[in-house]
Amino acid sequence: MRATVIHGERDIRIEEVPDPVLSTGGDAIVRVVAACVCGSDLWGYRGITPTPEPKRIGHEFVGIVEEVGPDVTAVKVGDFVIAPFYDCDFTCINCRNGVSTSCLHGGWWGGTDEFGAFADGAQGERVRVPHANGTLVATPSMPDAALVPSLLTLADVMGTGHHAAVSAGVTPGSTVVVVGDGAVGLCAVIAAARLGAARVIAMSRHPQRQALAREFGATDIVEERGDEGVTRIQELTGGIGADYVLECVGTKESMDQAIRSARPGGMVGYVGVPNGGPELPVRPLFNRNVGVNGGVAPVRNYIEELLPEVLAGVIEPGRVFDLELPLADVAEAYAAMDERRAIKVLLRP
Amino acid sequence: MRATVIHGERDIRIEEVPDPVLSTGGDAIVRVVAACVCGSDLWGYRGITPTPEPKRIGHEFVGIVEEVGPDVTAVKVGDFVIAPFYDCDFTCINCRNGVSTSCLHGGWWGGTDEFGAFADGAQGERVRVPHANGTLVATPSMPDAALVPSLLTLADVMGTGHHAAVSAGVTPGSTVVVVGDGAVGLCAVIAAARLGAARVIAMSRHPQRQALAREFGATDIVEERGDEGVTRIQELTGGIGADYVLECVGTKESMDQAIRSARPGGMVGYVGVPNGGPELPVRPLFNRNVGVNGGVAPVRNYIEELLPEVLAGVIEPGRVFDLELPLADVAEAYAAMDERRAIKVLLRP
């Protein structure tokens, strides 16, 4: 089959790779219907994360089950399934505690599973899915093609935006600031509005993203950043700051922006993968009782909650995809996101 | 009157100072019945925080109202009152949001209030209390002398331990680790047990403090620290860590202990004043979805909730005072706490 392989900085190729083969009894082979490029994939693309040897890449996909191992009971051949950006058994204590990203038996696409068997990256034609019973969620019936983009966001960005809001503890009637206007930030706007925030302030400088944020439920847009951004948030919040801030970028600057945008006693929900591991400044947090909660989003735990609203069209997170390309053009997909010509690119094998 | 003045490292003196005088209309003069020495007072005593010029010290007291300004309606002359370790109007948006330490008009003992008038330190015979309507809480009647130590803890340590537990979000049936066996840590044990934790693991190496922790509700004691401490917590929690960890020390080591003792998805409630401002390591928090919440405890917001239980003897946080001295011996009080001969020293003017 064909799959995407990253060879190094700005070197993304489609290659022939071995077809996946069932091996653990509890795994499944899924034919990919749609995959996409993640902001975090750009780290390797940009050379920020080194790629010492070629490796398979991609971690978001939806598809059709083609084969299942003898222990698989939760999905069957022919099902349309959503996979989170990791695999998990969904039965261990951490999964039951709502943190399936810390599954005691889980793993990551493009790596080896707990049995030492390879699990394909998602930007390819097929993926072997370990722990299929826990990892995959089947839709009740074959979804309309128009729903595929939104279903695909449940693999990562919609669940991640939701996690920011849940980690912050967004409450009805509250004021929420969203830092970051990428796909995750835009999905965080949906999540905050969905949880009843009365005011959702999106920080964005891009007219197209601002427009989408407003359609997703943002009530205010702040274009300023840094000190000016903090001042503007203060002006919009009676001089004290926002109840909740959703940090969806992962840089030192964005986290600083988030912390300073929260009111005393406020909470920052953060899901931006810390880029280079910035430390959190404890004094500004301590002095104003601003908390920080979040992390790598356990999106598997959120699929059941969000799926019905996607199927019903109540939320349309798939609108974050503003470019669709065939898998063969995956290199162009990376370039378009790298150059911010696209918010998020959907790939069709 | 006589009051405590810190002149520099290990130089604590009782001196004659001017009697306080009403000045703002909303203030009160309180005769101190009991005060105490705080762990944070030791920073100046040990020279970690420099003392460029002599200054009044102390921030925890209970007493009897002797005079009130014309705008004071919430307390009257003769009332027994508890003061938090700061003054606040208890009407501003931050106070109403539960964060009275961020009062828009508040201040600190031994400093100047918002009108530029001096507010005495608490280790003295009398204190002028700004914003008496908001700051002071009167007991329903004159309390029994035996209750004074527990009432005094509502000025700081019991409210602060409670804040750690509230910030972490301790739930009934949960497992809680308390890092720190000082007065705040011991009060955090009371708070965790009071909020229904099924298991409260106190980290302590001191037999006397271990015994008190057990009487306060600790179900387990862990003597180990660092890697051994984390390993022991893992052993006690099925290999995953505690639901909630209450950090009551404020050093880099104690925060590290706290973060590593939490399970994936767990929460650290921290109230230990960050000593020198250690940064929080974001990667271990992000990767395991461990949150951090807390800060300088808004104890004024907790007095109404905790006072009835103190008056009824349901909780006895005053047992953290294991030494009582006359105010004249305040220098010995500091020495006893510095040398860890006492958990916490109560002073009687």
Side-chain angles (χ1 to χ4, degrees):
Chain A
M1 69 169 188
R2 294 177 314 150
T4 305
V5 177
I6 180 168
H7 283 256
E9 190 176 332
R10 291 187 164 72
D11 187 357
I12 293 283
R13 307 180 200 171
I14 286 287
E15 297 184 359
E16 269 301 311
V17 300
D19 281 330
V21 180
L22 293 177
S23 70
T24 64
D27 50 3
I29 308 293
V30 174
R31 177 172 58 79
V32 175
V33 169
C36 50
V37 181
C38 180
S40 67
D41 290 331
L42 296 181
W43 290 19
Y45 183 78
R46 290 170 175 160
I48 296 167
T49 304
T51 304
E53 54 189 39
K55 66 177 180 187
R56 302 272 282 282
I57 191 166
H59 54 259
E60 298 154 273
F61 67 104
V62 293
I64 306 285
V65 177
E66 286 200 331
E67 288 181 71
V68 296
D71 303 334
V72 176
T73 54
V75 298
K76 60 185 189 304
V77 171
D79 279 352
F80 183 96
V81 290
I82 301 154
F85 62 84
Y86 53 89
D87 75 87
C88 60
D89 63 19
F90 219 52
T91 59
C92 80
I93 181 67
N94 289 332
C95 285
R96 282 182 283 128
N97 278 337
V99 197
S100 53
T101 40
S102 290
C103 176
L104 297 174
H105 306 105
W108 310 95
W109 306 118
T112 50
D113 68 15
E114 63 164 333
F115 306 104
F118 183 68
D120 304 80
Q123 292 161 4
E125 291 182 315
R126 284 179 184 73
V127 176
R128 187 186 71 86
V129 177
H131 301 292
N133 282 333
T135 305
L136 297 173
V137 178
T139 54
S141 59
M142 192 57 57
D144 192 88
L147 287 174
V148 166
S150 285
L151 292 168
L152 179 56
T153 67
L154 299 181
D156 189 342
V157 291
M158 182 61 219
T160 297
H162 180 67
H163 186 56
V166 168
S167 297
V170 170
T171 49
S174 60
T175 294
V176 177
V177 167
V178 177
V179 179
D181 63 359
V184 171
L186 291 166
C187 286
V189 169
I190 295 177
R194 190 182 161 275
L195 291 170
R199 198 161 188 190
V200 181
I201 304 169
M203 303 193 78
S204 172
R205 296 178 159 182
H206 301 76
Q208 184 196 355
R209 297 174 187 219
Q210 291 174 0
L212 194 51
R214 284 199 185 272
E215 290 177 47
F216 280 170
T219 55
D220 302 83
I221 302 288
V222 167
E223 295 202 340
E224 294 85 349
R225 290 187 188 175
D227 290 342
E228 291 71 27
V230 172
T231 300
R232 190 79 191 99
I233 296 294
Q234 296 288 326
E235 286 169 3
L236 290 171
T237 56
I240 62 155
D243 300 313
Y244 308 105
V245 184
L246 313 186
E247 196 286 318
C248 305
V249 181
T251 63
K252 183 167 166 45
E253 292 70 26
S254 62
M255 183 57 89
D256 178 66
Q257 182 83 72
I259 291 170
R260 293 167 67 204
S261 297
R263 69 160 169 82
M267 180 68 83
V268 174
Y270 75 120
V271 292
V273 182
N275 188 340
E279 307 287 281
L280 298 175
V282 72
R283 265 290 179 185
L285 295 171
F286 185 88
N287 290 351
R288 301 171 66 247
N289 273 283
V290 172
V292 173
N293 192 25
V296 55
V299 299
R300 173 63 188 84
N301 294 80
Y302 300 134
I303 295 180
E304 280 84 351
E305 177 179 350
L306 299 171
L307 178 58
E309 296 186 26
V310 166
L311 292 174
V314 175
I315 59 174
E316 298 180 285
R319 295 178 65 195
V320 298
F321 292 105
D322 54 352
L323 180 61
E324 187 173 322
L325 292 171
L327 178 62
D329 293 344
V330 63
E332 162 58 13
Y334 275 76
M337 281 184 61
D338 176 44
E339 296 159 20
R340 289 181 79 89
R341 285 185 277 119
I343 299 174
K344 195 164 176 75
V345 184
L346 187 141
L347 295 166
R348 300 270 187 182
Chain B
M1 69 168 186
R2 294 178 313 150
T4 305
V5 177
I6 181 168
H7 284 255
E9 191 177 332
R10 290 187 164 74
D11 188 357
I12 293 283
R13 308 180 199 171
I14 285 287
E15 296 183 0
E16 268 303 310
V17 300
D19 280 330
V21 180
L22 293 177
S23 71
T24 64
D27 50 3
I29 307 294
V30 174
R31 177 171 58 78
V32 176
V33 168
C36 51
V37 180
C38 180
S40 67
D41 291 332
L42 296 181
W43 289 19
Y45 183 78
R46 290 169 174 161
I48 296 166
T49 304
T51 304
E53 54 187 40
K55 67 175 181 188
R56 301 271 283 283
I57 192 166
H59 55 257
E60 296 155 276
F61 66 104
V62 292
I64 306 285
V65 177
E66 286 200 332
E67 286 181 73
V68 296
D71 302 333
V72 176
T73 54
V75 298
K76 61 184 188 301
V77 171
D79 278 353
F80 184 96
V81 290
I82 301 154
F85 61 84
Y86 53 88
D87 76 86
C88 59
D89 64 18
F90 218 53
T91 59
C92 80
I93 181 67
N94 289 332
C95 285
R96 282 181 283 130
N97 277 337
V99 197
S100 53
T101 39
S102 291
C103 176
L104 297 174
H105 306 105
W108 310 95
W109 306 119
T112 50
D113 68 16
E114 63 163 334
F115 306 104
F118 183 69
D120 305 79
Q123 292 160 2
E125 292 182 315
R126 282 178 186 74
V127 175
R128 187 185 72 84
V129 177
H131 300 293
N133 283 333
T135 306
L136 298 174
V137 178
T139 55
S141 60
M142 192 56 58
D144 192 88
L147 287 174
V148 167
S150 285
L151 292 168
L152 179 56
T153 67
L154 298 182
D156 190 341
V157 291
M158 183 59 219
T160 297
H162 180 67
H163 186 57
V166 168
S167 297
V170 170
T171 48
S174 60
T175 294
V176 177
V177 167
V178 177
V179 178
D181 63 359
V184 171
L186 292 165
C187 287
V189 170
I190 295 177
R194 187 181 163 278
L195 290 171
R199 198 161 187 190
V200 181
I201 304 170
M203 303 195 77
S204 173
R205 296 178 159 181
H206 301 77
Q208 183 195 355
R209 297 173 187 220
Q210 291 174 357
L212 194 51
R214 284 200 184 272
E215 291 179 45
F216 280 170
T219 54
D220 302 83
I221 302 288
V222 167
E223 295 201 340
E224 294 84 349
R225 290 187 189 176
D227 290 342
E228 291 73 24
V230 172
T231 301
R232 190 78 192 100
I233 296 294
Q234 297 287 327
E235 286 169 3
L236 290 171
T237 56
I240 62 155
D243 299 313
Y244 307 106
V245 184
L246 313 186
E247 196 285 320
C248 305
V249 181
T251 62
K252 184 167 168 42
E253 291 71 25
S254 62
M255 183 56 89
D256 178 66
Q257 182 84 73
I259 291 170
R260 294 166 67 205
S261 297
R263 68 161 168 81
M267 179 68 84
V268 174
Y270 76 119
V271 292
V273 183
N275 188 340
E279 307 287 282
L280 298 175
V282 72
R283 264 292 179 183
L285 296 170
F286 185 88
N287 291 351
R288 301 173 65 247
N289 274 283
V290 172
V292 173
N293 192 25
V296 54
V299 299
R300 173 63 187 85
N301 294 80
Y302 300 133
I303 295 180
E304 279 85 351
E305 178 179 350
L306 299 171
L307 179 58
E309 295 185 28
V310 166
L311 292 173
V314 175
I315 58 174
E316 299 180 286
R319 295 178 65 195
V320 297
F321 292 106
D322 54 352
L323 180 60
E324 187 173 322
L325 292 171
L327 178 62
D329 293 343
V330 63
E332 163 57 13
Y334 275 75
M337 282 184 61
D338 177 44
E339 295 159 22
R340 288 182 78 89
R341 286 184 276 119
I343 300 174
K344 195 166 176 74
V345 185
L346 187 142
L347 295 166
R348 299 273 187 180

